[in-house]
Amino acid sequence: MFLNPLSIGLDIGNFSIKLVVIELRKRQPVLLAFEERVLSSPILNDQHSVDSEALLSEMRQIRRSIPKRARRVSMALPDSAVISKVVHLDQQLSDQEKHFAVHQALATSSPFPVEELQLDYFAVNIGEGSSASSVAHQVYACRKQTVAGRINALTKARFRPSVLELKSHGLIWLGEAQQAALPTQQNWAVVDIGMKQSDFCVGVSQNQFYRREIPLSVGQISLTNPRFDWQHPDLGACQQFMQQLAEQLRRQIQLYNSTHPKSPLNGIWLAGGASTLVDCDDLAQMLSMPVQWSDPFAVLTRADKLAGYRPEQNYSRFGLATGLALRGAQA
């Protein structure tokens, strides 16, 4: 009997590493394991590169607590670390000529030398926005050194990196899984509240998504109050943070609805690590819209011997890792 390969979703954050392991059984995702490693110091720098040795040490520890045959990893980069560009290429070009044309297109717009970039491109919207002689291609590029540290650390820890996605794509996969499991909650946004930035994502259609960065993060509280107690936060600080979050979300909701009037938002799922700061009922009242913390494990079948799972806990911080695991399972 052949076993389905396991899919690992890996979320490398500034202050913790989160990992989710799933397996497809009869085409249904089953949660086998999850793990979080809180970091004593950040392993990401401002250029989005990792401390490879520190990441290797943490991944070796994680390796001991997950299924032995779990090796294939999907991970994400912040959208701001990736150059995204659409170029039109002649249909008659060979693969080598396409590669050269993509390099030429990036050379005129990239802030980095093309030889320092890792590239990926593929044809999109064939028949739409393309002429009879050309086809639109989506191009993604990021600095090789941004990817290399992650790949090297994972490979040395006996993992197999297989998928590298945009962070927003991982959140869209999470949103799609929640909509599939919750038919009464359609056309909801996923808002990931991070330590350094927050993201507002909506899956508009199968091939279209909407993403905006929100200039508000949990880390800003630490900058203004280094002694802030995350487990027992000050009520005044929570209220201030929620008011700022509500103001930012109102802008994004208005902007999204104005550009997508045929599919206005019906609600918001919150993901990330701010569960002690945000009260969904209060935020929903501020926005006049349903708001819930994402529960990524609730939309998955859970293995009988799943260790560490507590139904009463909030697992919204595993949202991105779950979306990436689902993405990898389809690869």
Side-chain angles (χ1 to χ4, degrees), residues 24-193:
L24 289 183
R25 296 179 182 174
K26 297 181 179 179
R27 305 185 68 179
Q28 296 299 315
V30 177
L31 177 65
L32 298 186
F34 62 96
E35 181 78 15
E36 180 176 22
R37 295 280 300 177
V38 177
L39 304 172
S40 58
S41 60
I43 64 172
L44 290 173
N45 62 26
D46 292 339
Q47 288 73 45
H48 309 294
S49 295
V50 301
D51 181 333
S52 185
E53 290 302 316
L55 178 59
L56 172 59
S57 176
E58 296 296 336
M59 295 306 297
R60 281 174 170 164
Q61 294 297 321
I62 290 174
R63 170 86 270 172
R64 301 172 182 174
S65 59
I66 63 174
K68 291 183 178 180
R69 61 189 181 94
R71 296 183 180 275
R72 193 173 64 180
V73 177
S74 299
M75 53 187 167
L77 290 176
D79 290 46
S80 57
V82 179
I83 300 169
S84 176
K85 185 179 180 67
V86 176
V87 300
H88 288 78
L89 304 178
D90 193 302
Q91 294 195 50
Q92 304 304 316
L93 295 179
S94 66
D95 290 343
Q96 184 176 1
E97 290 170 331
K98 288 180 181 179
H99 193 70
F100 177 78
V102 169
H103 273 72
Q104 291 295 100
L106 282 176
T108 62
S109 59
S110 170
F112 308 108
V114 177
E115 57 269 17
E116 295 182 7
L117 299 178
Q118 186 84 31
L119 303 180
D120 185 25
Y121 57 92
F122 48 89
V124 293
N125 296 330
I126 297 177
E128 299 180 18
S130 303
S131 66
S133 60
S134 68
V135 175
H137 283 68
Q138 173 66 60
V139 180
Y140 293 115
C142 67
R143 300 185 73 182
K144 291 180 180 178
Q145 69 179 47
T146 302
V147 179
R150 292 166 168 82
I151 299 296
N152 291 339
L154 290 173
T155 302
K156 289 180 180 178
R158 297 186 293 115
F159 290 96
R160 183 161 60 88
S162 61
V163 176
L164 183 63
E165 274 283 8
L166 293 174
K167 177 183 177 181
S168 56
H169 289 181
L171 296 174
I172 293 299
W173 276 80
L174 170 66
E176 289 181 352
Q178 292 182 150
Q179 290 189 137
L182 305 166
T184 61
Q185 297 180 9
Q186 301 299 298
N187 214 43
W188 283 42
V190 176
V191 177
D192 182 79
I193 305 173

